[in-house]
Amino acid sequence: MTILITGGAGFIGSHVVRLLVEKYPNYHVVNLDALTYAGNLENLKDIEDKPNYTFVKGDITNEVFINNLFKKFKFEGVIHLAAESHVDRSIKDPLAFVKTNVIGTMILLNAFKNLWENDFENKLFYHISTDEVYGTLGQIGLFTETTSYDPNSPYSASKASSDHFVRAYGETYGMPYVITNCSNNYGQNQFPEKLIPLFINNIINNKLLPVYGDGNYTRDWLYVKDHAVAIDLVFHKGKNKETYNIGGFNEWKNIDLIKLLCLQMDEKLSRKKGSSERLITYVKDRPGHDLRYAIDASKINKELGWKPSVTFEEGLNKTIDWYLSNEDWLANVTSGEYQSYYEKQYG
Ligand code: NAD
Ligand code: DAU
């Protein structure tokens, strides 16, 4: 079977591409990625020569190009990860998020529908979404698959919108789909605009650690390779028209997580205990900042037998080790555009 993975050069996508290329030598995996600032072929250096892997550079918002690509490869399955993914960037440039996340998804949906409309059997459009579509939780409760959508940022509104279109194509055209809504991922190859890699990079370089607001915001963290395993499982065993929540059973207040990270970094860099923590600086809050995300992942656990395999301490350890031994990767992605982004975001 030939499958399309969009956004496969990004953080989560690269782990999904590697897993599927290695696990299913009889699949032809086509990775379509526009290589925006977040896409990086270095993430896939180790598998780029595999015979069952093809990389195509291209933009999901280019309708003619996408239609031709679907005609050429006749994708039986699509795993759609390509997106603008950073909340802070969505606050500065919301339209870019509508273009890629909403219109880009629509163009893929149309191409898939037009290709298979008369024979949807054994075909699947798998849309990767986020828990942020549910908005924010208070101090208690968990997001379940039936929690109402209530997005608060332009990023989450664009993801929510794309989820609705995927569902609508299922209802209106009978297009087989699954959607998963996952919590915060962390791990190797994450672009250092997101909390954990940003702070690792800043600690390495003795730069300040900008904590938004009072730091008492809560996220549910999942190791990226565990997410990739869940995606493989849902792609093969998920039920048509179902949604699955994926989470780490692992809630941390930002400030507690940051303190743990600081401790581990001091040890790994052989610095005096407390030196990284001294870099913590409280800065202006993110507008519309969601207080708390936490996932009830019991459905995917009960129905598909998935659970995270790595504890947070283990995952964080592996992540820090990876960044410390891949300083060239970090140096490459933090040159150029990153510097002007950083300046605009943090001053
Ligand atoms: P990322 O920003 O690291 O990667 C996105 C990838 O998409 C990049 O390789 C980029 O080049 C590509 N891309 C962007 N615009 C494109 C376009 N117009 N055409 C083709 N390719 C394009 O993102 P990520 O963190 O790996 O997230 C992947 C997906 O998972 C996203 O859909 C995101 O909403 C979702 N998600 C992310 C998290 C998380 O914690 N990172 C959690 C839940 C869900
Ligand atoms: O929940 C899933 C989502 O997780 C994904 O859909 C998004 O693609 C992904 O970016 C992530 O969104 P968050 O906004 O939760 O992640 P981020 O790493 O940007 O921020 C995590 C928390 O840390 C959040 O409460 C904001 C805070 N933060 C973040 C940055 C970048 C800071 O305090 N300072 C910072 O500099």
Side-chain angles (χ1 to χ4, degrees):
M1 122 153 125
T2 303
I3 60 172
L4 173 69
I5 301 184
T6 69
F11 167 47
I12 302 172
S14 59
H15 290 278
V16 176
V17 167
R18 178 176 301 98
L19 179 70
L20 297 195
V21 165
E22 287 182 341
K23 190 168 167 188
Y24 304 101
N26 56 330
Y27 289 7
H28 179 198
V29 176
V30 177
N31 170 13
L32 167 69
D33 198 297
L35 299 182
T36 67
Y37 77 93
N40 187 348
L41 288 179
E42 286 297 311
N43 296 347
L44 291 165
K45 265 257 157 283
D46 55 320
I47 57 133
E48 68 185 7
D49 293 329
K50 297 266 185 196
N52 63 334
Y53 172 67
T54 303
F55 173 71
V56 178
K57 182 167 189 263
D59 191 325
I60 58 168
T61 65
N62 181 339
E63 192 169 8
V64 174
F65 165 78
I66 292 294
N67 288 339
N68 286 334
L69 194 75
F70 274 70
K71 277 190 203 128
K72 178 174 174 193
F73 285 102
K74 306 220 168 4
F75 303 115
E76 292 153 286
V78 174
I79 306 180
H80 173 38
L81 295 110
E84 288 294 338
S85 68
H86 191 41
V87 173
D88 292 328
R89 288 187 193 250
S90 83
I91 294 167
K92 295 220 152 49
D93 185 9
L95 196 56
F97 283 66
V98 175
K99 284 182 184 152
T100 291
N101 300 0
V102 185
I103 299 182
T105 302
M106 287 291 300
I107 286 172
L108 291 171
L109 285 170
N110 276 336
F112 192 72
K113 173 176 89 65
N114 293 340
L115 186 63
W116 298 117
E117 204 155 25
N118 298 320
D119 177 19
F120 274 134
E121 210 182 321
N122 296 324
K123 312 294 184 308
L124 183 66
F125 190 100
Y126 179 1
H127 180 59
I128 305 294
S129 191
T130 168
D131 61 356
E132 298 200 13
V133 298
Y134 299 123
T136 187
L137 291 164
Q139 300 295 349
I140 55 163
L142 299 170
F143 294 135
T144 72
E145 287 78 3
T146 56
T147 303
S148 306
Y149 276 33
D150 192 16
N152 289 317
S153 72
Y155 163 67
S156 53
S158 69
K159 292 297 290 188
S161 169
S162 61
D163 292 11
H164 290 318
F165 276 111
V166 174
R167 271 202 193 90
Y169 273 58
E171 291 306 318
T172 307
Y173 307 110
M175 194 194 76
Y177 74 87
V178 282
I179 299 175
T180 49
N181 297 84
C182 188
S183 64
N184 288 62
N185 283 220
Y186 70 98
Q188 41 271 67
N189 306 97
Q190 188 169 30
F191 191 79
E193 63 188 348
K194 311 280 164 61
L195 180 73
I196 291 179
L198 177 84
F199 279 33
I200 291 175
N201 186 42
N202 281 14
I203 292 172
I204 294 173
N205 294 298
N206 272 308
K207 281 173 75 173
L208 294 177
L209 305 177
V211 178
Y212 295 160
D214 61 5
N216 283 318
Y217 294 87
T218 300
R219 297 290 182 266
D220 174 353
W221 294 92
L222 176 67
Y223 188 53
V224 64
K225 292 190 181 192
D226 280 331
H227 188 187
V229 168
I231 290 173
D232 174 26
L233 209 58
V234 172
F235 183 63
H236 290 96
K237 305 236 165 77
K239 283 201 207 109
N240 183 21
K241 294 190 180 178
E242 292 284 328
T243 287
Y244 299 87
N245 279 355
I246 307 174
F249 303 96
N250 178 42
E251 283 184 56
W252 284 80
K253 278 201 165 134
N254 290 345
I255 193 63
D256 297 335
L257 184 160
I258 291 161
K259 285 183 177 165
L260 174 69
L261 181 68
C262 286
L263 259 181
Q264 291 203 2
M265 290 294 289
D266 284 347
E267 266 175 45
K268 305 230 182 231
L269 294 169
S270 308
R271 290 183 186 165
K272 210 170 134 226
K273 198 171 161 192
S275 20
S276 299
E277 234 184 270
R278 270 197 288 279
L279 298 170
I280 291 177
T281 314
Y282 291 89
V283 300
K284 198 166 149 262
D285 210 348
R286 173 186 278 177
H289 199 166
D290 286 329
L291 178 68
R292 176 171 164 258
Y293 304 144
I295 285 278
D296 175 354
S298 53
K299 177 174 171 183
I300 188 171
N301 176 248
K302 284 197 194 104
E303 291 188 12
L304 305 183
W306 175 87
K307 62 175 190 316
S309 68
V310 170
T311 67
F312 188 55
E313 285 70 12
E314 283 163 357
L316 195 58
N317 232 310
K318 284 177 198 254
T319 305
I320 298 173
D321 285 345
W322 186 84
Y323 281 96
L324 290 178
S325 47
N326 286 277
E327 289 203 36
D328 285 352
W329 184 96
L330 253 185
N332 281 340
V333 301
T334 53
S335 61
E337 193 267 354
Y338 185 79
Q339 298 300 331
S340 53
Y341 165 75
Y342 199 92
E343 192 55 35
K344 264 192 234 142
Q345 181 63 25
Y346 299 101

